[in-house]
Amino acid sequence: MKNIGIIVNGVTGRMGTHQHLVRSLLAIRREGGVELSGGERVMPELILVGRSEEKLKRLAAEHGVARWSTSLEECLASEEYPVYFDAQATARRFPDVKSALESGKHVYCEKPLATSIEACLELARLARERGRKNGIVQDKLFLPGMRKLKRLVEGGFFGRILSVRGEFGYWVFEGDWQPAQRPSWNYRKEAGGGMILDMYAHWQYVLEGLFGRVKSLLCHGAIHIPERVDERGVKYPCTADDSSYGMFELASGVLVQLNASWAFRVYRDDLLTIQVDGTEGSAVAGLRDCKVQHRSFTPKPVWNPDVPSALKYRDGWEDVPDNMVFDNAFKTQWEMFLRHVAEDAAFPHGFVEAAKGVQLAELAYESWQKRQWVDVPRLAEV
Amino acid sequence: MKNIGIIVNGVTGRMGTHQHLVRSLLAIRREGGVELSGGERVMPELILVGRSEEKLKRLAAEHGVARWSTSLEECLASEEYPVYFDAQATARRFPDVKSALESGKHVYCEKPLATSIEACLELARLARERGRKNGIVQDKLFLPGMRKLKRLVEGGFFGRILSVRGEFGYWVFEGDWQPAQRPSWNYRKEAGGGMILDMYAHWQYVLEGLFGRVKSLLCHGAIHIPERVDERGVKYPCTADDSSYGMFELASGVLVQLNASWAFRVYRDDLLTIQVDGTEGSAVAGLRDCKVQHRSFTPKPVWNPDVPSALKYRDGWEDVPDNMVFDNAFKTQWEMFLRHVAEDAAFPHGFVEAAKGVQLAELAYESWQKRQWVDVPRLAEV
Amino acid sequence: MKNIGIIVNGVTGRMGTHQHLVRSLLAIRREGGVELSGGERVMPELILVGRSEEKLKRLAAEHGVARWSTSLEECLASEEYPVYFDAQATARRFPDVKSALESGKHVYCEKPLATSIEACLELARLARERGRKNGIVQDKLFLPGMRKLKRLVEGGFFGRILSVRGEFGYWVFEGDWQPAQRPSWNYRKEAGGGMILDMYAHWQYVLEGLFGRVKSLLCHGAIHIPERVDERGVKYPCTADDSSYGMFELASGVLVQLNASWAFRVYRDDLLTIQVDGTEGSAVAGLRDCKVQHRSFTPKPVWNPDVPSALKYRDGWEDVPDNMVFDNAFKTQWEMFLRHVAEDAAFPHGFVEAAKGVQLAELAYESWQKRQWVDVPRLAEV
Amino acid sequence: MKNIGIIVNGVTGRMGTHQHLVRSLLAIRREGGVELSGGERVMPELILVGRSEEKLKRLAAEHGVARWSTSLEECLASEEYPVYFDAQATARRFPDVKSALESGKHVYCEKPLATSIEACLELARLARERGRKNGIVQDKLFLPGMRKLKRLVEGGFFGRILSVRGEFGYWVFEGDWQPAQRPSWNYRKEAGGGMILDMYAHWQYVLEGLFGRVKSLLCHGAIHIPERVDERGVKYPCTADDSSYGMFELASGVLVQLNASWAFRVYRDDLLTIQVDGTEGSAVAGLRDCKVQHRSFTPKPVWNPDVPSALKYRDGWEDVPDNMVFDNAFKTQWEMFLRHVAEDAAFPHGFVEAAKGVQLAELAYESWQKRQWVDVPRLAEV
């Protein structure tokens, strides 16, 4: 059993606490660490870092984490912690990740890595020069539904893939007669809000991870709900896009269409669903489930609106069985990253990938503004 | 009881026979004609016209139609038939409709009226100058599902409409291991094939009829299946688009997204489904059915992919009841046209509308080629 | 964290112990007090007061309340307790509340505040003169079902509200062959019993809180079961009404009909159900649940008693989802009152409202006796 | 087999054709007439009478009725037809029924017999003086659900009946975004419309038939929808009540509450439901079904709104089985009337009863206007 010290910075928020601390790192500890290829195990040893002593103290106590600190500098200076994890607010990430790399830490980060492609690439270069491992959270790729899709792609189920159509979103209440279920900064451009900024980074790695490189894109954004009521009950104008309608051409020739909105009502199997059509078969994946229709049982529907359809179209699809236990998406990627650090196992989610996510969002805003397709240039090799 | 003579040209094909002759005109005859506002009834008296004597004879015999002719010229010359209907192949329509108008006939037609906007407008002008009624088939607007949508729009159900997303299509077999269920000319550009050419005329009147004028559009087409096998079992290259991905901005500010493909497998309620999201509620309509989710029962979903969703999202939608008997879509429009002829009842589906459908398809091809949004100019008043 | 001392008088009964002590005040303590708008918290510090030392001692021990006293006088004299709560029998409430106000306490009370309008208004005036906060329990307004109704009203779901029909009640056993589930004093006029006296105070705030001011009323009472068997197994004549049938005209023009009976068997979703019909939609609310039928999916039923109805009418209604966690109704109002005391937060349930409840019950008895509608005069401003 | 000639006047309307001609008289003919107590059978021989020759001819042809006439005078003069039936518009009924009686016919009528109590009683006196049988349609009493209620009353199921609560009605569309399903004259006072006028005649015989004489009543009417759109699509102001809220005291001491509205949405088992509560048990009847809860299985519910109710209250009721075939309600009463004529069998639905229905409606309007209970005087013996 080997220990591996991790500086865990910025997990006092809901998402950081829940997904990274409790469901990933502490869950790994409860299971006795991560098993490596040779059978040994690596146990994460954590120190929580943050700005509020009170919050850190309470969080550490609540979850039985022995160490915490308000001085990142001291932590980075210590040899005890070879890994730095950052889930802070975006604005603070770049300088702290940079310091961490300069202190010789391996670095794993929440997205976005930075607010510009250049800054991302600068960190990627720095990591390469210092020979440090680097990783970016790409959790959606590890959702059970997406992993089943990946399995289908790799198993050649689809034949030649023709098209991919997906939709993410649900109705976020306006905050007047029912409280909104998302924070108001999501709807303010100046606070870093916006659906495109949020989702295009996800679309990038989901598409590239499942279907290959994005060659060009067309994006149309919208502020469907122009006024909302904030946490204090005060009306505010929405300055950030709450919806995006996008198309993508992949290098493989596949045509992709992906929508995301906080002003859709959900008539789907799940909050995110992706349909893939191929010559040999089609699949529809949600967060956990995935259904397929192979061409062997594809029906020939008849157009006759004079009577109710005799075919219940969804009944002609079959569930893809789990065939394995799917662990929490965040935890799965954490385990990969720890193996990457501990024994140099493959980890295709580095800082260059982080830059691609930022790039796709930037190009999407450009396409929206220009009202035309834009190409996605390959990022210069780092 | 008044009779009204109709020259029925080109209904020996599957669609013409089935929808226009059997389910519309002969059904109206069986019901004792069309009732006018004053209580009198108008009975259609038919003469079938076509090029093949053999086919006409058989069709007339089979359906008990007394008269038929292979000479359109003679029919047009007769005063007995004040109405001309044309469901011929597109190429023959323009000259015959023109002759009919010049012979003083009222004219009702299958779409497209002609292959160019200019030709459509020429016929519209001619009809106006001669004071002849004119109409174009816009059957999808009379599907029960679309009429329920219309009812919801008129009843103010949606509040402010934000977005419309629809999808048409199904898998058309390639013709190799199973016969294709559509004719091969659909996939040949040179034969008048192409999804965009076919569907954009439909999208035009559906959008304008339900939600208002189209201001601009973005279209992306694709030939997903580049090679098919024709009716004789011979492989042929597909030269016409089999799929289209489109967005539309309406004058009202609504954002619309409509896909159509013969290479989609159907994981939907119906072969055509349209979802409308508005501030007060949303609806999903198919050919016959329509479901709604009002904001009063819109759920607040929780994102937790670690367990299967407790919400079955589709269960939270309610069926819109019929509350009336919906007749065949084609027959309904035929009855409207006959009332239009007999007593000048309103009929908003004239030749200028036909031109708009052709226009939208032309612009869609332009947008695809230019890879950018294009504006939809208003057609000069006829 | 601020403490707030509360004299808790008269909670040794089932209802007081359960709802006010355990589910409200002690539950608030377990949660670390009530959070104020600025983020600080107020913690209730309790002293239990009553007449029976034995009962108090046992209650305090059982629930871990440190302090109790049989001398209300001493408690009122102490500066440690700025808040007085009264859940005693009705007859004792007026003098004790008066003393509490004169001692400078803020006062919160179970209903009825007193047995006459004048007495209620006297206490309201006293509270105003002394500048003391005052509140009356109006728990039914905080039932999840009623809060969903309120949400629907505020969200404009109903369009113009036309009518409200509600029914409360169930079968209270007569006490002969099965023990009665309510105390015998409920059925004795001289002991303060009577359905009208009990329920009209509730009807008053439910109607005013949800739909606006009551303008006039018609009430018919009944003693459906004239003889019952009491707790000791002795027959007694019932002198108080066990049932009431009422109609109300609201200032808004809405017509309301509300029945309450201890001699109804329950063929409803819940012990209390209220149906609201409006131009745009209708709702049926119970204690927790609420279902809606929007006009978009209102069916057109056909009257044909020769065959069983094809429509299952209740299936055409949709559940209003919770979309939030509904806390105990009493606790919710306690939190509001504590915020009212601690930071002057809004609290629309003061002593003048208490007077209105007493007024409505008095007028109901008058209407019953006169067999006619009576107007509800506005109470003179305190 | 004896024949009995019947003059059938005014059945060209939907209701007359359907219920009286097709489902009653022609159905009786198909069954070989009505069986009398001695085993012989009486066969109705019909002559259709009306004002429109065309309509009569078509109706007679369609249903295979040999004889029809536009001259009531001639028919009344003929000895061939001892029975006269009248389903004309109300205004025409009094003079024609009077002539029929004076011509020596037995008379059976749709309701209302006449527009005033006095006119009804005049016809009742005339019938008595001439010794003619007389009957008024009281179909609701013959609905399977009401007959099951009657069976329960006669079987002593309820013990002492305490209360009766019923509701009739459904949503009648306003006619703007969906066509109304009732004729516009229903909502015009001047055309004989109004819910009270229509329903109080029904309430009268249902109450008296099931539970005994009405002693006093309180009625409140409303025009909930003040403006509708008529058959021609034109807006009109509604001048007749579309809703009524009533209470009744019966001679037996039972308290009754009955609502009727064309502005209620249906959250009930049926379009008309009546709940009866008695000391021994309760019942809820619809048009066809009836459910009971006997005191032996009456539950003791617990009020706890903090958790969803464990009791599904409607599950604790049991279906009353048919135990016989229930024939069409109109036909059943026709058979009774024909036996009454043929062999003087009992028929408690004579013209005095018709007068009582008119009386109850008149008193209901008076009560509404006076805003108080009114007594129902016994009608002077005819």
Side-chain angles (χ1 to χ4, degrees), chain A residues 140-158 161 163-166 203 206-207 209-211 258 272-278 281-293 317 320-322 326:
Chain A
K140 308 257 179 298
L141 214 42
F142 299 90
L143 293 171
M146 296 304 114
R147 293 171 73 186
K148 288 176 184 173
L149 264 192
K150 178 82 174 169
R151 211 196 259 166
L152 292 171
V153 172
E154 291 179 345
F157 169 78
F158 296 108
I161 296 178
S163 63
V164 174
R165 288 165 350 267
W203 292 149
V206 166
L207 290 179
L210 292 174
F211 310 108
L258 295 169
L272 166 68
T273 57
I274 294 184
Q275 173 162 351
V276 181
D277 285 302
S282 299
V284 177
L287 301 186
R288 293 190 64 84
D289 295 327
C290 184
K291 285 159 182 284
V292 290
Q293 186 172 76
W317 294 67
V320 173
D322 284 0
F326 291 106

Side-chain angles (χ1 to χ4, degrees), chain D residues 66-259:
Chain D
R67 286 192 271 188
W68 55 268
S69 163
T70 55
S71 166
L72 176 59
E73 211 178 339
E74 283 175 26
C75 295
L76 290 180
S78 158
E79 303 256 315
E80 219 176 322
Y81 305 102
V83 174
Y84 172 71
F85 172 68
D86 189 306
Q88 298 182 99
T90 304
R92 310 182 59 85
R93 190 165 300 135
F94 177 80
D96 288 353
V97 167
K98 198 172 170 189
S99 301
L101 287 171
E102 286 166 346
S103 309
K105 306 298 183 194
H106 305 293
V107 180
Y108 186 45
C109 283
E110 254 299 343
K111 79 167 238 295
L113 177 55
T115 53
S116 73
I117 306 173
E118 293 66 32
C120 293
L121 291 178
E122 184 184 332
L123 294 175
R125 267 190 302 269
L126 183 59
R128 201 196 42 176
E129 287 160 15
R130 303 289 171 115
R132 296 294 89 185
K133 312 289 195 205
N134 52 95
I136 188 88
V137 175
Q138 300 192 329
D139 56 290
K140 307 255 179 301
L141 214 41
F142 299 91
L143 293 172
M146 296 303 114
R147 293 171 72 185
K148 288 177 185 173
L149 263 192
K150 178 83 174 169
R151 210 196 259 167
L152 292 173
V153 171
E154 291 179 345
F157 169 77
F158 296 110
R160 185 164 60 81
I161 295 178
L162 306 172
S163 64
V164 174
R165 289 165 348 268
E167 199 165 279
F168 163 81
Y170 47 87
W171 190 265
V172 175
F173 285 82
E174 301 92 327
D176 45 356
W177 69 296
Q178 287 199 42
Q181 71 266 50
R182 292 187 66 95
S184 59
W185 70 261
N186 283 185
Y187 307 97
R188 303 193 216 242
K189 188 81 185 166
E190 58 283 11
M195 180 58 99
I196 294 170
L197 192 59
D198 182 8
M199 282 306 293
Y200 272 65
H202 293 300
W203 292 149
Q204 194 281 325
Y205 67 74
V206 167
L207 289 179
E208 181 147 347
L210 292 174
F211 310 109
R213 196 171 67 79
V214 178
K215 218 178 58 181
S216 61
L217 72 85
L218 180 285
C219 175
H220 186 83
I223 302 175
H224 282 317
I225 306 292
E227 194 177 68
R228 291 177 175 270
V229 173
D230 71 13
E231 289 78 2
R232 298 159 304 147
V234 178
K235 272 192 186 178
Y236 66 97
C238 300
T239 49
D241 46 293
D242 58 23
S243 304
S244 69
Y245 303 82
M247 292 196 225
F248 307 82
E249 283 183 319
L250 304 191
S252 57
V254 175
L255 192 280
V256 180
Q257 184 180 71
L258 295 170
N259 297 335

Side-chain angles (χ1 to χ4, degrees), chain C residues 95-343:
Chain C
D96 287 354
V97 166
K98 198 172 169 190
S99 302
L101 287 171
E102 286 166 346
S103 309
K105 306 299 183 194
H106 305 294
V107 179
Y108 187 45
C109 284
E110 254 300 343
K111 78 166 241 294
L113 175 56
T115 53
S116 74
I117 306 173
E118 292 68 31
C120 292
L121 292 178
E122 185 185 331
L123 293 176
R125 266 189 301 271
L126 183 58
R128 202 198 42 176
E129 287 161 16
R130 304 289 170 115
R132 298 295 89 184
K133 313 289 196 205
N134 52 95
I136 188 86
V137 174
Q138 300 192 329
D139 56 292
K140 308 258 179 298
L141 214 42
F142 299 90
L143 293 171
M146 296 303 114
R147 293 171 73 186
K148 287 176 184 174
L149 264 191
K150 179 83 174 170
R151 209 198 259 167
L152 292 172
V153 171
E154 291 181 345
F157 169 76
F158 296 109
R160 186 166 57 83
I161 295 177
L162 306 171
S163 63
V164 174
R165 291 169 342 273
E167 200 165 279
F168 162 82
Y170 45 87
W171 190 265
V172 175
F173 286 83
E174 303 90 325
D176 45 356
W177 69 295
Q178 286 199 39
Q181 71 266 48
R182 292 186 66 96
S184 59
W185 71 260
N186 282 183
Y187 306 96
R188 303 194 217 243
K189 188 80 184 167
E190 58 283 11
M195 180 59 98
I196 295 171
L197 191 59
D198 182 8
M199 282 305 294
Y200 272 64
H202 292 301
W203 292 149
Q204 194 281 325
Y205 67 73
V206 167
L207 290 180
E208 182 148 347
L210 292 175
F211 310 109
R213 197 171 67 80
V214 177
K215 218 177 60 180
S216 60
L217 71 85
L218 180 285
C219 175
H220 186 82
I223 302 175
H224 282 317
I225 306 292
E227 194 176 68
R228 291 176 175 270
V229 175
D230 71 12
E231 288 78 0
R232 297 159 304 149
V234 179
K235 272 194 185 174
Y236 65 97
C238 299
T239 50
D241 46 294
D242 59 20
S243 303
S244 69
Y245 303 82
M247 291 195 223
F248 307 81
E249 284 182 319
L250 305 191
S252 56
V254 175
L255 193 280
V256 181
Q257 185 180 70
L258 295 170
N259 296 335
S261 177
W262 291 313
F264 286 169
R265 288 187 184 82
V266 184
Y267 192 76
R268 293 178 236 120
D269 287 353
D270 218 327
L271 299 182
L272 166 67
T273 57
I274 294 184
Q275 174 162 351
V276 181
D277 285 302
T279 51
E280 296 286 313
S282 299
V284 176
L287 302 186
R288 292 189 63 84
D289 294 329
C290 183
K291 284 160 182 285
V292 290
Q293 185 172 75
H294 190 260
R295 72 170 180 156
S296 58
F297 50 92
T298 298
K300 257 189 198 167
V302 176
W303 177 277
N304 182 3
D306 285 354
V307 292
S309 172
L311 278 174
K312 296 285 163 216
Y313 297 106
R314 287 197 194 84
D315 292 353
W317 295 67
E318 191 67 23
D319 276 310
V320 174
D322 285 0
N323 287 358
M324 58 174 289
V325 175
F326 290 106
D327 212 338
N328 178 282
F330 290 87
K331 175 167 173 253
T332 302
Q333 206 187 350
W334 260 110
E335 292 171 342
M336 284 178 69
F337 185 73
L338 292 177
R339 285 194 198 98
H340 181 50
V341 170
E343 57 177 357

Side-chain angles (χ1 to χ4, degrees), chain B residues 115-142:
Chain B
T115 52
S116 74
I117 306 173
E118 293 67 32
C120 293
L121 292 178
E122 184 184 333
L123 293 175
R125 265 189 303 271
L126 182 59
R128 201 197 42 176
E129 287 160 17
R130 303 289 171 116
R132 297 295 89 184
K133 312 289 195 205
N134 52 96
I136 189 87
V137 175
Q138 300 192 328
D139 57 291
K140 308 256 179 300
L141 215 41
F142 299 90

